[in-house]
Every structure is written in structure tokens, then in C-alpha cells.
């Protein structure tokens, strides 16, 4: 009985718990409400979307918006562009960020520390402030309207984020384990690959997810630097749908928005276990 009363006191009074649950439900409705509304409008006809008074739940389900999206407007090409560019940027940011973060965590050189701090300052600058000079540099060097250049640009902008997140993981890994591996005839790089990276796996996964999401969701540089429609990423190609039809088919726009959101949501659901552990470990390290 005493244990039960103690647990009840820890959980708090019942009115407080009810209020907490109500607040959680309210936050969930505010955050997930727009996505649910996108899903509802993507699977019902345009006539029902434009009907007045509007209905909350669809009276008729249809998949014509998705069919038109991928057949008439070839939206799959834009999704593939986004996947390739985001995956390349994520891989580049993880590779260079991992090496740089390990150097910052293990070698106490003033130059390394200064460069790391300068990269953080560069990351804090709003992208719109560097849009004009970046555009002039890329188009002046003949790299405008180039998907590879866009992936490299994403890698450069996301590298400071990956560097400082991963640095906290490498700082929390004991140096003794690496030294033991080097005593057993393992080189430093071999100890890094065989000992350090497996222990930092949750951090690598969580950093990769956030980096991929940032590259996938980027719009400013993609819409400015890519001038050929077939090379556009998916989120920058939505304006093509609006240009073709104005705002006559909200269902098609909602289907495109849902197609863009779905891969990231699936990625978070699949990797949520590693994501949660990575965030938890990163919060107590450094």
C-alpha cells in the first residue's frame, strides 16, 4: 500500500494528469492537424473540396489526384531528383562531418578548434543572405543548373550541423578503448573504424536523419539555382503544378504535398528507435 501511494504521488494528482493529457492532445492536434487535412484533401474529389459548407470527413474516396500527379505531370522524376540530391548531401555531410568531428574531439589543436567555431558561425548565417553571392559564383563558374553542384552546396551548408552533433558523441567515447586497440597492433584509423564508429552508430543515424530531412526540405537554393524543370527537386517543382492550373485542383496540390512528406515520415518511423537513443545520448555528452 505504501508503495502504491508513493507511485501515485510521483505520478501526481489525477486532475494534474488529466490536464497534462489534454495539453498533449492539443499539441498533437496543432502539429498533426495540417498533415491530416492534407491527407483528407488528397483522397477526395475537387468538387467535394470546393463544396460549401465544407465537410470534415470525405464523402467519397478517390485516387485520381495521385494518378494524374505521376502520369500527366511526371512527378516521379522530381521525387527521384530529391532522393538522389538529399542522399548525396547526407552521405557527404556524414563522411566529412565524422572525420572533422573526430579530429576536434581527439586532437586539441588551436587551428582545428578555430575552424570548427568558424564553421558554426557560418551555419548561423541565414541562407537568404548568401543566396546572391552563391548564385553568382555557381553560374559564373558554369555550375548553375547542376544537380551535383546543388548536392555539394547542401553538403557544405549541412556540414557544420553534422560536425558539432557528432563531436559530442566522439567526446563521450573513452579514449582508453582506442588505445587498447592500438596496443593490439591496430592503427589509429583502424581503431576509429572498428571501435569508435560502432559506438557512435546512434549518433550517426540520428544526424543522418536530420541532415536528410534538411536537404529534402530545402527550397530556396533549389528553386533559384535549378532552371531546367526536369532537374528540379520535388518541393521546388510544386510551383509547376500551380503554373499549369492555377488553384483549380487543390486535390492535386495536396497529393503532391503528401508525396513529399511521406518519405520523411516513413524514415522517422523506421529509425525512431535509433533517433531517440541518439538524441538522448547527445544531450548528456559533450
Amino acid at each position: 500500500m505504501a508503495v502504491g501511494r508513493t507511485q501515485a504521488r510521483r505520478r501526481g494528482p489525477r486532475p494534474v494528469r488529466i490536464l497534462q493529457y489534454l495539453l498533449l492532445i492539443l499539441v498533437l492536434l496543432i502539429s498533426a492537424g495540417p498533415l491530416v487535412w492534407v491527407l483528407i484533401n488528397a483522397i477526395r474529389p475537387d468538387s467535394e473540396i470546393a463544396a460549401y459548407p465544407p465537410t470534415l470527413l470525405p464523402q467519397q474516396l478517390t485516387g485520381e489526384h495521385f494518378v494524374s500527379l505521376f502520369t500527366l505531370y511526371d512527378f516521379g522524376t522530381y521525387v527521384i531528383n530529391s532522393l538522389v540530391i538529399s542522399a548525396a548531401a547526407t552521405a557527404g555531410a556524414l563522411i566529412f562531418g565524422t572525420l572533422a568531428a573526430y579530429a576536434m574531439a581527439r586532437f586539441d589543436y588551436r587551428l582545428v578548434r578555430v575552424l570548427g567555431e568558424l564553421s558554426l558561425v557560418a551555419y548561423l548565417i541565414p541562407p537568404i543572405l548568401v543566396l546572391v553571392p552563391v548564385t553568382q559564383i555557381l553560374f559564373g563558374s558554369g555550375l548553375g543548373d547542376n544537380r551535383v553542384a546543388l548536392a555539394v552546396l547542401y553538403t557544405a551548408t549541412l556540414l557544420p550541423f553534422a560536425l558539432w552533433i557528432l563531436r559530442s558523441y566522439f567526446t563521450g567515447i573513452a579514449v582508453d578503448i582506442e588505445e587498447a586497440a592500438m596496443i593490439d597492433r591496430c592503427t589509429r584509423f583502424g581503431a576509429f573504424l572498428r571501435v569508435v564508429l560502432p559506438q557512435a552508430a546512434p549518433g550517426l543515424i540520428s544526424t543522418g536523419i536530420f541532415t536528410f530531412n534538411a536537404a529534402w526540405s530545402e527550397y530556396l537554393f533549389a528553386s533559384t539555382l535549378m532552371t531546367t524543370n526536369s532537374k528540379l527537386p520535388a518541393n521546388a517543382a510544386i510551383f509547376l503544378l500551380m503554373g499549369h492550373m492555377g488553384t483549380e485542383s487543390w486535390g492535386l496540390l495536396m497529393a503532391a504535398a503528401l508525396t513529399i512528406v511521406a518519405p520523411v515520415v516513413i524514415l522517422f518511423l523506421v529509425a525512431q528507435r535509433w533517433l531517440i537513443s541518439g538524441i538522448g545520448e547527445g544531450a548528456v555528452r559533450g
Side-chain angles (χ1 to χ4, degrees):
M1 295 295 294
V3 175
R5 287 194 297 270
T6 302
Q7 293 179 348
R9 284 196 298 269
R10 289 178 179 176
R11 288 194 297 263
R14 185 176 297 273
V16 175
R17 279 186 290 152
I18 294 175
L19 180 60
Q20 290 173 345
Y21 290 141
L22 291 176
L23 290 176
L24 288 175
I25 293 173
L26 179 61
V27 171
L28 180 62
L29 290 176
I30 294 175
S31 58
L35 182 59
V36 174
W37 189 247
V38 167
L39 173 61
I40 292 174
N41 288 329
I43 59 176
R44 64 179 175 183
D46 285 325
S47 58
E48 189 176 329
I49 297 175
Y52 186 83
T55 57
L56 181 61
L57 298 177
Q59 307 299 315
Q60 180 182 355
L61 300 181
T62 179
E64 62 180 6
H65 301 308
F66 293 96
V67 174
S68 300
L69 186 67
F70 287 96
T71 56
L72 298 179
Y73 297 96
D74 194 22
F75 203 74
T77 300
Y78 308 126
V79 174
I80 293 174
N81 290 339
S82 290
L83 286 174
V84 172
I85 294 172
S86 301
T90 301
L94 283 180
I95 293 173
F96 293 109
T98 299
L99 296 175
Y102 179 77
M104 288 183 62
R106 289 293 184 263
F107 306 110
D108 191 17
Y109 296 136
R110 180 177 179 84
L111 179 60
V112 174
R113 187 170 61 253
V114 170
L115 290 176
E117 293 172 353
L118 288 177
S119 69
L120 182 61
V121 173
Y123 181 73
L124 297 177
I125 298 176
I128 195 170
L129 295 182
V130 297
L131 177 63
V132 173
V134 167
T135 303
Q136 291 177 339
I137 291 172
L138 290 181
F139 278 96
S141 57
L143 296 176
D145 196 26
N146 190 304
R147 283 169 288 193
V148 176
L150 186 62
V152 173
L153 177 61
Y154 286 174
T155 301
T157 55
L158 295 173
L159 184 57
F161 170 80
L163 190 157
W164 283 94
I165 294 296
L166 292 173
R167 176 186 173 276
S168 63
Y169 291 93
F170 294 135
T171 303
I173 297 175
V175 183
D176 298 341
I177 304 177
E178 295 177 66
E179 293 177 347
M182 287 188 284
I183 291 175
D184 291 337
R185 301 174 134 187
C186 192
T187 63
R188 176 173 286 277
F189 188 69
F192 169 71
L193 292 178
R194 296 180 176 86
V195 177
V196 177
L197 285 185
Q199 296 188 67
L204 291 171
I205 294 174
S206 60
T207 303
I209 292 174
F210 282 110
T211 304
F212 181 86
N213 181 43
W216 179 271
S217 306
E218 204 282 326
Y219 176 82
L220 182 63
F221 288 117
S223 60
T224 304
L225 299 176
M226 309 305 291
T227 57
T228 303
N229 291 343
S230 60
K231 297 181 180 180
L232 287 171
N235 57 342
I238 288 186
F239 81 92
L240 297 178
L241 304 179
M242 299 181 65
H244 280 300
M245 63 186 177
T247 55
E248 295 178 3
S249 180
W250 288 105
L252 190 61
L253 289 176
M254 296 300 102
L258 188 62
T259 302
I260 294 174
V261 172
V264 178
V265 173
I266 294 173
L267 181 62
F268 270 84
L269 291 177
V270 171
Q272 62 178 332
R273 179 166 62 90
W274 297 281
L275 180 64
I276 294 173
S277 62
I279 294 175
E281 292 180 13
V284 298
R285 290 183 177 180

